[in-house]
């Protein structure tokens, strides 16, 4: 534990507007004593308005407004709080009338009161989550009010029964830096779009209207750095180009809610982003992903749960194509079922490239029962792999011997470069020990084997200890290899 900070010093940080560290219970009592002198004077109320606004911004908006009754000093402070958060989700329970309960009316009146009484100060962050069906026009007015206050971050989550038109100013707001829109509806876009300062754009559950307007949106964000497209519907789309020179982070969560086998053509998504450093794709490849000139600086994450769908030649060709486009990456995170999809035919895919620049591989999900052999086949394509992280461990139902882990091919080039192996959720079963023993036996450059034990009352601690001792005494080809357990 680090040295505790004196209350006087923490008070000085607070008064200067600097962020103070998280405090434990005793430290909080010390600060409370420092803020109230021996005469009982309320020192916190004497802090500058900007500091009190900062403090209030950490409270839910309803509680921030409630501080107005504390004293005259606090009466109007809430009207300039930089963060506003309105969420009607707490209104819905089994005993509440769904359509027009008094709670919903109070919620809408509360939002309007906060916005009407607000002073002229800017809004840093405005979050609104609600059902639009109660009053679409009022929701529209609330968003417009936030924009008039030069909002920087706009977070909108709507549940709609019919298409809802967002204010056009949402897509023509010069102050906006972050925009999150989650809405189970077509996102209707204006003919003119200008987002000159937008750095982060997240779209969730929306249905894209057509190629032209969607392309207009993506082409009107000249400084965009992060784009996330999460569970959106591309059914109206055929071609789209994500060509943004400033883009650094791209996330596409493309999991459909319908049978992907009935929708195999999809949309061609062309991605040309020279500054990209992070790419994550999760989905069934119902859309055709076309990455252009992916550099070695990109960290890629893939989850493609399509083992059965891989029997479809079109889907399988898209899978191989995606791996070809990522052949220059230096860091790759991948799920076990994605690897299994590559080798479902139980033979090496002829077009799968060698990843000459890949040095770090992370298995991002638990390695399934049938993934062991596929993993070893995939590793043969990584001749310069230095770090392997099995971050979610092995399926406890997996049963494999050391022979099962050994690739049928004699080529084991990755074994000469591997330096670090991490296995999490170690339960101490024979399959795990066989896997680790195989690497100890063949990884000639291995320096560190790091094993995180699974912590559960149901685990056999004695078996874990026995297996740990067995691994420590296991023969190893690398004389410098250390095995560390946590």
């Amino acid at each position: 534990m680090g040295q505790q900070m004196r209350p006087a010093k923490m008070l000085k940080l607070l008064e200067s507007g600097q962020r103070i560290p998280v405090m434990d219970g005793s430290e909080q009592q010390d600060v409370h004593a420092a803020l109230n002198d021996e005469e009982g004077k309320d020192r916190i109320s004497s802090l500058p308005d900007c500091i009190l606004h900062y403090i209030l911004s950490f409270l839910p908006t309803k509680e921030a407004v409630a501080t107005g009754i504390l004293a005259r000093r606090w009466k109007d402070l809430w009207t300039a709080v930089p963060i506003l958060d309105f969420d009607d989700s707490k209104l819905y329970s089994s005993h509440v009338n769904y359509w027009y309960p008094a709670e919903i009316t109070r919620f809408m009146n509360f939002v309007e009161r906060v916005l009407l009484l607000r002073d002229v100060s800017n809004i840093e962050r405005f979050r609104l989550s609600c059902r639009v069906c109660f009053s679409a026009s009022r929701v529209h007015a609330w968003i417009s009010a936030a924009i008039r206050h030069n909002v920087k971050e706009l977070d909108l989550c709507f549940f709609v029964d019919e298409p809802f038109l967002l204010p056009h100013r949402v897509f023509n707001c010069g102050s906006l830096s972050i925009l999150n829109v989650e809405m189970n509806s077509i996102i209707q876009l204006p003919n003119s779009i200008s987002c000159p300062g937008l750095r982060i754009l997240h779209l969730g559950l929306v249905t894209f209207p057509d190629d032209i307007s969607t392309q207009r949106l993506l082409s009107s964000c000249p400084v965009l750095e992060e784009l996330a497209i999460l569970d959106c519907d591309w059914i109206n789309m055929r071609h789209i180009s994500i060509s943004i020179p400033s883009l650094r982070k791209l996330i596409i969560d493309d999991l459909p809610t319908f049978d992907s086998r009935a929708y195999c053509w999809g949309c061609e998504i062309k991605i040309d982003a020279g500054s990209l450093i992070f790419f994550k794709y999760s989905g069934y490849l119902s859309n055709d992903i076309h990455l252009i000139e992916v550099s070695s600086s990109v960290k890629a994450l893939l989850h493609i749960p399509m083992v059965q769908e891989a029997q479809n030649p079109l889907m399988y060709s898209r899978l191989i194509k995606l791996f070809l486009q990522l052949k220059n990456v230096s860091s790759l995170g991948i799920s076990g079922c994605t690897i299994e999809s590559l080798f479902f035919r139980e033979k090496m895919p002829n077009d799968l490239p060698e990843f000459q620049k890949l040095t770090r591989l992370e298995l991002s999900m638990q390695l399934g029962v049938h993934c062991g052999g596929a993993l070893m086949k995939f590793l043969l394509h990584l001749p310069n792999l230095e770090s392997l992280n099995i971050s979610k461990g092995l399926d406890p139902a997996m049963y494999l011997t050391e022979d099962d882990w050994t690739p049928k091919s004699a080529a084991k080039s990755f074994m000469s470069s591997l330096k670090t192996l991490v296995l999490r959720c170690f339960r101490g079963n024979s399959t795990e020990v066989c896997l680790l023993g195989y690497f100890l036996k063949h990884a000639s450059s291995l320096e560190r084997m790091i094993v995180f034990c699974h912590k559960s009352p149901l685990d056999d601690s004695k078996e874990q200890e026995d297996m740990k001792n067995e691994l420590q005494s296991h023969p190893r080809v690398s004389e410098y290899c250390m095995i560390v357990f946590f």
Side-chain angles (χ1 to χ4, degrees):
M1 181 181 294
Q3 184 178 3
Q4 288 190 343
M5 187 180 295
R6 294 181 179 275
K9 185 175 181 181
M10 282 192 272
L11 180 58
K12 185 176 292 186
L13 286 175
L14 188 60
E15 291 175 334
S16 66
Q18 299 182 53
R19 186 177 294 274
I20 62 175
V22 176
M23 299 175 287
D24 59 27
S26 62
E27 289 176 320
Q28 290 176 359
Q29 292 177 357
D30 291 342
V31 173
H32 184 269
L35 289 172
N36 295 273
D37 61 19
E38 295 178 356
E39 299 179 356
K41 182 181 178 182
D42 178 12
R43 294 182 63 190
I44 193 169
S45 293
S46 65
L47 293 172
D49 284 4
C50 60
I51 304 301
L52 296 178
H53 293 153
Y54 177 75
I55 294 172
L56 290 177
S57 70
F58 288 94
L59 296 177
T61 298
K62 186 175 182 180
E63 295 180 15
V65 173
T67 62
I69 65 173
L70 293 176
R72 182 177 299 176
R73 171 76 175 93
W74 293 81
K75 181 181 178 182
D76 297 321
L77 281 172
W78 64 269
T79 63
V81 173
I83 296 176
L84 296 179
D85 190 336
F86 303 105
D87 190 337
D88 73 348
S89 61
K90 296 180 181 179
L91 302 178
Y92 306 107
S93 60
S94 58
H95 66 276
V96 174
N97 178 5
Y98 175 81
W99 288 108
Y100 289 102
E103 289 86 350
I104 293 173
T105 300
R106 283 197 293 269
F107 170 79
M108 292 191 292
N109 291 341
F110 172 73
V111 176
E112 289 189 348
R113 175 173 175 263
V114 170
L115 293 174
L116 285 172
L117 296 179
R118 184 174 181 82
D119 69 8
V120 296
S121 62
N122 292 339
I123 297 176
E124 291 288 326
R125 181 173 187 265
F126 182 84
R127 178 179 177 270
L128 177 61
S129 177
C130 66
R131 297 181 182 272
V132 175
C133 58
F134 300 124
S135 182
S137 61
R138 294 172 80 174
V139 173
H140 195 284
W142 300 340
I143 301 170
S144 298
I147 294 173
R148 285 196 299 271
H149 283 271
N150 298 314
V151 64
K152 291 184 179 179
E153 180 178 350
L154 194 57
D155 189 347
L156 307 174
C157 179
F158 297 139
F159 304 90
V160 302
D161 293 331
E162 56 187 37
F164 173 65
L165 180 64
L166 292 170
H168 286 181
R169 292 185 64 187
V170 170
F171 304 102
N172 289 276
C173 180
S175 64
L176 205 58
S177 177
I178 300 174
L179 175 60
N180 301 324
V181 178
E182 183 175 326
M183 180 173 62
N184 58 323
S185 171
I186 291 179
I187 183 169
Q188 301 183 45
L189 300 167
N191 292 328
S192 176
I193 299 176
S194 176
C195 302
L198 193 65
R199 296 185 300 103
I200 298 174
L201 174 62
H202 287 194
L203 301 172
L205 300 179
V206 304
T207 298
F208 295 116
D210 54 63
D211 292 357
I212 296 175
S213 58
T214 306
Q215 186 66 66
R216 185 186 304 122
L217 172 62
L218 297 179
S219 301
S220 301
C221 306
V223 298
L224 194 67
E225 298 176 5
E226 178 177 322
L227 173 63
I229 303 174
L230 310 174
D231 292 332
C232 293
D233 193 338
W234 302 78
I235 196 167
N236 300 320
M237 305 285 292
R238 290 297 173 262
H239 304 280
I240 191 72
S241 175
I242 302 175
S243 181
I244 308 173
S246 58
L247 192 65
R248 297 174 61 82
K249 185 176 182 179
L250 175 60
I251 301 171
I252 300 178
D253 189 343
D254 209 15
L255 297 175
T257 57
F258 47 81
D259 187 349
S260 62
R261 286 168 291 187
Y263 176 62
C264 60
W265 294 107
C267 175
E268 180 187 23
I269 305 173
K270 181 180 177 182
I271 302 165
D272 185 4
S275 301
L276 199 67
I277 59 173
F278 181 88
F279 172 71
K280 180 181 178 181
Y281 177 81
S282 178
Y284 289 81
L285 293 173
S286 50
N287 295 309
D288 186 11
I289 307 295
H290 184 52
L291 289 157
I292 297 176
E293 295 184 4
V294 178
S295 73
S296 61
S297 61
V298 173
K299 178 179 181 180
L301 298 180
L302 298 178
H303 173 51
I304 304 173
M306 54 171 288
V307 178
Q308 297 300 321
E309 286 80 356
Q311 299 179 36
N312 182 318
L314 177 60
M315 296 297 190
Y316 191 71
S317 67
R318 287 179 178 176
L319 177 64
I320 296 298
K321 174 185 173 183
L322 184 57
F323 275 89
L324 282 168
Q325 293 168 159
L326 294 172
K327 67 179 181 180
N328 289 325
V329 299
S330 59
S331 179
L332 177 64
I334 191 171
S335 63
C337 54
T338 304
I339 299 176
E340 191 178 349
S341 299
L342 282 171
F343 299 97
F344 82 101
R345 298 174 179 174
E346 298 185 352
K347 64 179 182 179
M348 290 287 188
N350 296 327
D351 297 330
L352 189 65
E354 282 203 346
F355 294 78
Q356 295 286 346
K357 298 181 180 180
L358 186 64
T359 59
R360 298 174 62 85
L361 177 67
E362 177 180 351
L363 300 179
S364 56
M365 296 185 179
Q366 188 180 71
L367 202 61
V369 173
H370 304 293
C371 291
L375 170 62
M376 302 311 291
K377 291 177 183 178
F378 183 64
L379 290 176
L380 296 179
H381 292 262
L382 317 179
N384 298 305
L385 185 66
E386 297 180 3
S387 174
L388 173 60
N389 183 1
I390 307 175
S391 64
K392 303 299 181 183
L394 309 182
D395 188 325
M398 181 185 289
Y399 180 77
L400 294 173
T401 66
E402 186 172 335
D403 289 340
D404 295 317
W405 287 116
T406 305
K408 297 299 185 289
S409 170
K412 299 175 184 176
S413 56
F414 69 94
M415 286 296 184
S416 64
S417 58
L418 189 65
K419 296 179 180 179
T420 302
L421 174 65
V422 178
L423 174 65
R424 295 181 181 271
C425 302
F426 176 76
R427 292 176 169 82
N429 61 49
S430 59
T431 297
E432 295 168 322
V433 173
C434 286
L435 170 64
L436 297 176
Y438 175 79
F439 282 98
L440 289 173
K441 184 177 179 180
H442 296 285
S444 57
S445 299
L446 194 62
E447 299 173 356
R448 294 176 300 277
M449 180 176 283
I450 304 171
V451 182
F452 293 86
C453 296
H454 186 261
K455 309 293 184 183
S456 170
L458 301 178
D459 290 332
D460 188 334
S461 57
K462 184 179 183 303
E463 182 181 11
Q464 272 191 359
E465 287 300 318
D466 291 342
M467 292 301 185
K468 286 161 65 174
N469 293 332
E470 179 180 336
L471 281 172
Q472 290 287 12
S473 60
H474 197 287
R476 58 195 78 174
V477 67
S478 173
E479 57 181 311
Y480 303 106
C481 179
M482 294 178 58
I483 306 177
V484 183
F485 291 92
F486 291 97

